[in-house]
C-alpha cells in the first residue's frame, strides 16, 4: 500500500471484538492473568497498553522500522535513548538542534560524564573529521531546528557506522510523509509527536522507531524500566492526527510556498532559511531523500532583535507561541523562547541571531498567511 493509504489503514484493522473502525481507548492499568504470567500479551499499563500498541505498530510501519515505541514526550523518548548510552561514551551531535535536546545533552555531560561534540554535520568534510574518532551515537535533526539545515543521511550513516556509532535522526520537522531516514541507512528515528504527528496542538508525545532488532529489544526494555510512557488517550489523539498527516503536510507546504514568495522579495529580510534554498547540494539532497520540503520557514529580519519584536507584534494570523507543526500558524523567536537555554555566544556563532524568527506555516488559506507576513514586515 502507498503511504497515504497506510496512514489510514496500517496496523489499524477494525476492532476484532466489535468491528469499530476507530481503535478503542483502553484505560485499564492491569490485565487479568489466567494463571501466573499467562496473559493475552498485556500485563500492566506501563509495560504495554492495547491502544499504545496500535500506535507503536503504526509508527513502525510509517517509518519503515522494525519496532515503534511511544513516550510521554519527545524529550521523554530522548531521555530513554540516553539511558542506553554507557557513561563516558561520546556523542557527535549536529550544532543546530532543538534547545531542549541540547539542554538534556548538557545535563548528561555534567551529571554522567557523557562527551558531546557539536559539529556542523551538514558539512560532510566536517562530519568525516568528527568521526575519525570512535563514537557511540551520531545525533542529527534534518531539517534542523531552527535553521533548516539538511544532512546527507546515506553518507552520514556510512561514516557513523565506520566510527562504531548508531545514526539517530530526529525526524520531527520532515515527518515520515516527507522523509523516512531508516530507508537511507539511519538506525533510529526520534519524534516529538507533539508537533506534526499529533498536528493539532492538543497532545504532548514522543516516539522512537528502531531499524535494528537488537536496539528494539534494548529500548523496549528501557521504555518499561524508565516509564516515560504516554496515556492511552494521548495515543488515541496521535492516531487520529496521523490519519490526516499526508493532506496536512501538503497544505503546510503550500502555505510555506506563499510565505516564501513574500519573504523572498522583501528588503526587510536579511536571510531566508528553507530546505534546499541556499545550496545546490541541498537541492540534490531534497531530491534524493525527501518527498517535500515541509512547512517551516525561518527568516532573519533586518535590524536585529528590536526589528524582530516589531514584526512579531504586528502578526495577526500567526500566533506567537512555542511549538510548531499544528494546523494553526505559529511563530517563535528562538533566541528568547525555544532556544533561550542555549548560551548566547553558542547560538550566535552558528546563526541563531536575535533577528531570527521561525514561522510554522499552518493550513489556513495561504493568501491570508502571505498577507499577514507582508503586513507585519511593513512595520520593520
Ligand atoms: C519539540 C521538539 C522536541 C522535543 O519534543 P517534546 O515533545 O516537546 O518533548 C525535539 N525535537 C524537535 C525537533 C522538536 O521540535
Amino acid at each position: 500500500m502507498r503511504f497515504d493509504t497506510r496512514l489510514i489503514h496500517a496496523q489499524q484493522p477494525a476492532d476484532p471484538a466489535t468491528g469499530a473502525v476507530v481503535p478503542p481507548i483502553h484505560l485499564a492499568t492491569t490485565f487479568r492473568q489466567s494463571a501466573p504470567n499467562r496473559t493475552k500479551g498485556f500485563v500492566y499499563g506501563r509495560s504495554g497498553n492495547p491502544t499504545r500498541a496500535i500506535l507503536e505498530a503504526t509508527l513502525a510501519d510509517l517509518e519503515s522500522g522494525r519496532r515503534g515505541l511511544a513516550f510521554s514526550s519527545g524529550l521523554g523518548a530522548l531521555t530513554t535513548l540516553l539511558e542506553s548510552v554507557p557513561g563516558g561514551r561520546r556523542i557527535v551531535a549536529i550544532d543546530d538542534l532543538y534547545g531542549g535536546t541540547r539542554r538534556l545533552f548538557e545535563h548528561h555531560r555534567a551529571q554522567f560524564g557523557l562527551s558531546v561534540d557539536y559539529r556542523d554535520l551538514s558539512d560532510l568534510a566536517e562530519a568525516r573529521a568528527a568521526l575519525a574518532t570512535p563514537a557511540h551515537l551520531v545525533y542529527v535533526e534534518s531539517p534542523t531546528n531552527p535553521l533548516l539545515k539538511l544532512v546527507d543521511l546515506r553518507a552520514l550513516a556510512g561514516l557513523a557506522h565506520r566510527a562504531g556509532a548508531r545514526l539517530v535522526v530526529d525526524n520531527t520537522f520532515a515527518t515520515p510523509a516527507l522523509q523516512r531516514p531508516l530507508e537511507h541507512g539511519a538506525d533510529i528515528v526520534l519524534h516529538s509527536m507533539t508537533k506534526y504527528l499529533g498536528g493539532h496542538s492538543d497532545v504532548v508525545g514522543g516516539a522512537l522507531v528502531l531499524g535494528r532488532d537488537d536496539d528494539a529489544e534494548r529500548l523496549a526494555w528501557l521504555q518499561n524500566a524508565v516509564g516515560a510512557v504516554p496515556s492511552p488517550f494521548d495515543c488515541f489523539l496521535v492516531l487520529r492526527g496521523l490519519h490526516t498527516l499526508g493532506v496536512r503536510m501538503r497544505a503546510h507546504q503550500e502555505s510555506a510556498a506563499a510565505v516564501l514568495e513574500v519573504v523572498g522579495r522583501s528588503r526587510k529580510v536579511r536571510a531566508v532559511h528553507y530546505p534546499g534554498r541556499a545550496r545546490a547540494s541541498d537541492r540534490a539532497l531534497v531530491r534524493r531523500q525527501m518527498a517535500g520540503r515541509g512547512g517551516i520557514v525561518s527568516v532573519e529580519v533586518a535590524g536585529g532583535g528590536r526589528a524582530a519584536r516589531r514584526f512579531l507584534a504586528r502578526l495577526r494570523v500567526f500566533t506567537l507561541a512555542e511549538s510548531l507543526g499544528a494546523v494553526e500558524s505559529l511563530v517563535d523567536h528562538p533566541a528568547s523562547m525555544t532556544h533561550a537555554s542555549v548560551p548566547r555566544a553558542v547560538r550566535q556563532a552558528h546563526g541563531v541571531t536575535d533577528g531570527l524568527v521561525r514561522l510554522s506555516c499552518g493550513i489556513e488559506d495561504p493568501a491570508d498567511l502571505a498577507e499577514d507576513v507582508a503586513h507585519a514586515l511593513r512595520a520593520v
Side-chain angles (χ1 to χ4, degrees):
M1 279 191 287
R2 292 166 182 82
F3 189 81
D4 276 13
T5 311
R6 276 156 52 206
L7 279 173
I8 314 283
H9 295 291
Q11 310 299 328
Q12 297 181 48
D15 179 40
T18 62
V21 300
V22 170
I25 304 172
H26 287 274
L27 294 173
T29 55
T30 190
F31 299 82
R32 190 176 69 84
Q33 309 191 6
S34 55
N37 301 313
R38 287 257 305 262
T39 69
K40 295 184 169 176
F42 295 99
V43 176
Y44 178 64
R46 166 166 36 73
S47 324
N49 165 281
T51 312
R52 193 173 96 206
I54 294 172
L55 171 61
E56 293 180 331
T58 301
L59 292 167
D61 184 296
L62 298 178
E63 283 286 5
S64 304
R66 303 287 299 170
R67 179 143 189 195
L69 298 171
F71 295 89
S72 54
S73 68
L75 291 183
L78 181 59
T79 298
T80 306
L81 178 64
L82 290 178
E83 288 287 329
S84 74
V85 181
R89 294 297 177 86
R90 175 168 182 255
I91 293 184
V92 179
I94 195 160
D95 54 358
D96 193 40
L97 277 173
Y98 171 65
T101 298
R102 194 179 180 113
R103 182 176 57 202
L104 193 53
F105 282 158
E106 288 303 290
H107 168 69
H108 274 254
R109 171 145 75 177
Q111 197 81 352
F112 308 115
L114 195 73
S115 136
V116 193
D117 212 351
Y118 301 98
R119 304 289 274 268
D120 183 3
L121 299 176
S122 70
D123 176 347
L124 273 183
E126 191 163 342
R128 211 167 282 123
L131 290 167
T133 322
H136 194 82
L137 290 182
V138 175
Y139 192 96
V140 298
E141 298 173 359
S142 184
T144 61
N145 181 358
L147 294 174
L148 291 315
K149 292 201 255 187
L150 298 184
V151 169
D152 184 334
L153 297 175
R154 175 74 59 193
L156 192 63
L159 292 172
H161 294 159
R162 248 165 287 155
R166 301 277 202 268
L167 174 60
V168 185
V169 179
D170 180 336
N171 202 31
T172 298
F173 272 35
T175 82
L178 303 184
Q179 172 176 276
R180 290 181 289 281
L182 300 180
E183 293 178 4
H184 301 281
D187 304 289
I188 300 173
V189 163
L190 182 141
H191 275 284
S192 169
M193 302 195 297
T194 317
K195 317 293 168 52
Y196 286 110
L197 300 191
H200 297 74
S201 298
D202 56 9
V203 57
V204 173
L208 294 174
V209 184
L210 298 315
R212 297 172 51 122
D213 287 329
D214 51 352
D215 288 346
E217 200 175 315
R218 179 94 184 115
L219 270 305
W221 185 89
L222 280 168
Q223 179 196 40
N224 178 52
V226 174
V229 294
S231 79
F233 185 64
D234 290 353
C235 295
F236 165 79
L237 283 175
V238 176
L239 280 166
R240 183 180 162 106
L242 281 173
H243 286 158
T244 55
L245 181 66
V247 285
R248 281 190 287 112
M249 291 314 287
R250 289 192 284 279
H252 286 300
Q253 292 193 115
E254 219 180 291
S255 297
V259 167
L260 281 164
E261 279 266 321
V262 173
V263 297
R265 57 182 151 75
S266 171
R267 279 176 304 126
K268 309 282 181 70
V269 171
R270 268 235 321 255
V272 178
H273 303 279
Y274 190 64
R277 192 180 163 90
R279 303 193 300 195
S281 59
D282 277 1
R283 282 191 283 286
L285 278 185
V286 168
R287 279 194 299 276
R288 209 154 64 227
Q289 64 191 33
M290 302 181 81
R293 304 197 290 169
I296 311 286
V297 179
S298 290
V299 300
E300 191 179 338
V301 176
R306 274 193 50 195
R309 271 189 294 279
R310 288 174 71 94
F311 172 74
L312 294 170
R314 278 285 189 103
L315 288 166
R316 291 186 196 134
V317 183
F318 280 85
T319 300
L320 179 64
E322 303 221 353
S323 202
L324 57 97
V327 289
E328 68 276 0
S329 291
L330 299 173
V331 63
D332 165 52
H333 183 236
S336 64
M337 294 165 62
T338 47
H339 293 67
S341 63
V342 181
R344 188 157 195 272
V346 173
R347 246 195 297 116
Q348 301 259 6
H350 79 264
V352 181
T353 61
D354 291 344
L356 191 77
V357 296
R358 186 190 70 196
L359 297 154
S360 170
C361 304
I363 64 168
E364 301 94 337
D365 192 310
D368 285 326
L369 300 180
E371 274 172 32
D372 195 35
V373 171
H375 173 260
L377 279 174
R378 282 197 285 277
V380 172

